[in-house]
Amino acid sequence: MSLEFTEKNLNEIYTITSGLSKSSEEFGFGFPFLSFKTIFYNYYINEDLDELVNSTEEEQKKHSVKKGDVFLTRTSETLDELGMSCVALRDYPNATFNGFTKRLRPKKDNVIYPLYACYYFRSTLFRKYVDSMAIMTTRASLNNNILSRLPIIFPNYEDQKKIGYLLHNLDKKIELNKEINNHLENLLMSIFNSWFINFEVYDKSNGMKFDESFGDVPRLWSVEMLEDYVDFVTGVEPGSKNYHEKPEINDIPFIRVGDLGSRTNAVFIDKSLSKNKILSFDDIVLSLDATVGIVKMGLKGAYSTGMRKLLIKNDDINKPFLYCLVKSKRIQRIIETFATGTTILHAGKSIKHMSFVLSDKQTMNQFGKIGNPILSIILANLKEIEKLTNMRDMLLPKLMSGEINVSEINYDLE
């Protein structure tokens, strides 16, 4: 027996309200604030709201954030960034929400389960409704009239719970892997800073020498230019007219600088346009355009001209060392210092100004023995994140359409 779904317009289920608008001077202090960025990038609100606004008691009452509330971005530069959703899974006392978003507050309890809402409003089904009804002038926008007519499709409340928990548990595992990777990366960076920045592993009885850029450095180590040890390989720009949101035959993923953050709309290009500028999963990539200084591993596909793939020329340095080096505060400062541009930053020339302290071979090899297993675990976790994300995204439309029947699943919701 298949699931039975009910379809209602949003205004039948929710009361639609606009958010709080304030001048920039009113932010950074006061009470919790749900920002446009938080809504855009998250299925549900994090445990705590880090941003603050100087809101009054009346504003907090009018623009409150309570369990079950759905928040939608109401304006954006492009249609694919419009109507991105985030759901409150608990009450947030004294909190308010951003004026460029809309709040959908349930009119009745126990009609739409909050975790179900998290995934329905992020589903391709709802995204299609948004795209078909949004207004596109100079910016894409959603008004109350449009939002009222958008549909929400849902099964009975208990089956909503099952769908929500199934998808949420996948997300929790994804977040756990990300948290583990953050801890491992912090550990690796801590060892790197101890050895190669503070020189704590160096036997000071061998003496130190002065360098204009670094100050006192180990006498038996040397100061080198990074470009002598690493090739910085620029990516390719096939042109946006060649982007495909759905992969076609012979297509591969095309990674842009925005994809190194949390961009949601992945694109693909024909492999023939890649000019062999392709990343393997264990390659290190560095962004030098727009958002400069991002360092990533765990990517696959062609990559844009705003990035550089870092290839080690010889075994005087190793991958864990290079990864930590380009993430180090000194290299990041160099990239930021030499970034030019008004609306878009470009830091390609900064590569020529990257110097570093090269240790003796034994110290470098010891760091590799510690760092390589850590990077291997990080990459394995990234692969699992990719698989879990694909599984979630594959299950999402099937669960939302009733193609997968959860009513017969014996699932302990406690």
Side-chain angles (χ1 to χ4, degrees):
M1 181 178 176
S2 61
L3 284 183
E4 292 185 4
F5 281 74
T6 300
E7 180 174 335
K8 298 280 188 180
N9 287 344
L10 290 186
N11 65 342
E12 297 179 81
I13 304 295
Y14 296 101
T15 300
I16 303 170
T17 309
S18 297
L20 177 66
S21 296
K22 287 273 200 177
S23 63
S24 58
E25 294 81 7
E26 300 293 331
F27 289 88
F29 64 99
F31 298 93
F33 182 69
L34 178 58
S35 68
F36 185 99
K37 182 179 179 181
T38 298
I39 294 169
F40 186 88
Y41 287 124
N42 295 280
Y43 280 62
Y44 49 89
I45 304 174
N46 296 326
E47 195 63 29
D48 296 304
L49 293 173
D50 297 328
E51 299 188 48
L52 302 173
V53 66
N54 184 28
S55 57
T56 65
E57 186 175 338
E58 182 180 348
E59 288 169 336
Q60 292 167 20
K61 184 177 180 180
K62 182 178 180 181
H63 307 288
S64 59
V65 179
K66 296 185 179 299
K67 182 178 180 179
D69 288 348
V70 180
F71 299 90
L72 296 173
T73 59
R74 66 170 179 83
T75 182
S76 181
E77 296 288 345
T78 59
L79 284 173
D80 61 318
E81 296 179 348
L82 186 67
M84 299 300 288
S85 64
C86 185
V87 178
L89 300 182
R90 66 171 179 85
D91 292 351
Y92 288 81
N94 305 320
T96 54
F97 64 98
N98 184 274
F100 291 105
T101 65
K102 293 284 188 179
R103 182 189 69 198
L104 278 58
R105 173 157 290 171
K107 293 181 176 180
K108 295 181 179 180
D109 293 336
N110 300 333
V111 176
I112 302 297
Y113 190 63
L115 277 180
Y116 178 84
C118 286
Y119 297 99
Y120 173 78
F121 286 101
R122 287 270 178 165
S123 68
T124 53
L125 179 64
F126 183 72
R127 301 294 310 152
K128 288 178 181 177
Y129 293 138
V130 170
D131 291 346
S132 66
M133 298 184 72
I135 298 172
M136 187 69 193
T137 52
T138 53
R139 292 176 64 89
S141 63
L142 291 171
N143 56 38
N144 280 24
N145 182 47
I146 291 173
L147 284 171
S148 295
R149 292 183 284 119
L150 289 172
I152 179 168
I153 301 170
F154 54 95
N156 66 67
Y157 198 69
E158 288 303 310
D159 288 338
Q160 288 181 50
K161 282 186 177 182
K162 292 178 181 180
I163 291 172
Y165 274 105
L166 283 168
L167 295 169
H168 186 52
N169 282 336
L170 287 174
D171 269 337
K172 286 199 294 185
K173 175 57 177 168
I174 290 171
E175 291 305 315
L176 177 60
N177 280 12
K178 289 180 179 178
E179 186 177 343
I180 291 171
N181 277 3
N182 285 336
H183 287 310
L184 289 172
E185 187 172 292
N186 289 337
L187 173 62
L188 188 59
M189 286 301 302
S190 177
I191 298 170
F192 172 86
N193 288 329
S194 172
W195 288 25
F196 302 105
I197 302 299
N198 300 322
F199 311 124
E200 293 174 9
V201 74
Y202 180 74
D203 185 354
K204 299 297 193 299
S205 65
N206 290 321
M208 304 288 284
K209 61 185 177 183
F210 180 79
D211 179 84
E212 291 184 357
S213 298
F214 293 91
D216 288 334
V217 299
R219 185 177 63 83
L220 301 180
W221 294 8
S222 60
V223 175
E224 307 287 346
M225 298 300 293
L226 191 55
E227 62 183 344
D228 293 331
Y229 293 81
V230 178
D231 281 327
F232 293 79
V233 185
T234 304
V236 65
E237 182 48 67
S240 58
K241 67 180 185 298
N242 293 309
Y243 296 172
H244 312 133
E245 290 192 1
K246 292 185 178 180
E248 300 174 0
I249 296 175
N250 298 322
D251 275 2
I252 59 174
F254 181 63
I255 302 160
R256 301 156 292 174
V257 172
D259 299 318
L260 303 183
S262 301
R263 194 197 329 241
T264 57
N265 58 323
V267 297
F268 301 83
I269 62 169
D270 191 284
K271 189 175 182 179
S272 64
L273 299 175
S274 70
K275 298 181 180 178
N276 292 322
K277 302 299 181 67
I278 296 176
L279 294 172
S280 299
F281 205 73
D282 62 346
D283 281 332
I284 300 173
V285 66
L286 170 68
S287 68
L288 292 175
D289 278 356
T291 307
V292 300
I294 300 176
V295 182
K296 288 280 187 178
M297 297 180 71
L299 302 170
K300 294 185 295 184
Y303 61 103
S304 76
T305 53
M307 291 177 266
R308 305 291 186 273
K309 178 167 68 171
L310 279 53
L311 298 178
I312 296 173
K313 293 182 179 181
N314 56 55
D315 61 358
D316 289 330
I317 63 174
N318 51 50
K319 189 164 288 185
F321 176 84
L322 177 60
Y323 181 73
C324 293
L325 180 64
V326 291
K327 288 180 73 71
S328 67
K329 290 182 179 179
R330 184 176 186 278
I331 294 297
Q332 290 290 312
R333 281 198 298 267
I334 292 173
I335 294 172
E336 292 173 5
T337 300
F338 287 92
T340 59
T342 52
T343 56
I344 299 178
L345 294 176
H346 305 279
K349 293 181 180 179
S350 65
I351 295 171
K352 297 180 180 180
H353 301 277
M354 293 181 183
S355 59
F356 71 102
V357 178
L358 178 64
S359 72
D360 60 85
K361 189 70 172 177
Q362 182 180 359
T363 302
M364 184 65 67
N365 288 342
Q366 288 176 342
F367 186 72
K369 290 179 180 179
I370 296 171
N372 280 320
I374 293 176
L375 284 187
S376 294
I377 296 171
I378 290 174
L379 288 171
N381 285 338
L382 289 174
K383 284 185 178 179
E384 187 172 50
I385 288 171
E386 182 182 34
K387 290 178 181 177
L388 291 170
T389 302
N390 290 338
M391 183 185 300
R392 181 199 65 196
D393 295 344
M394 178 191 71
L395 286 173
L396 185 53
K398 296 180 184 296
L399 289 167
M400 294 298 168
S401 66
E403 184 178 341
I404 297 177
N405 187 355
V406 299
S407 62
E408 298 176 1
I409 296 177
N410 183 16
Y411 197 54
D412 183 4
L413 299 181
E414 298 301 320

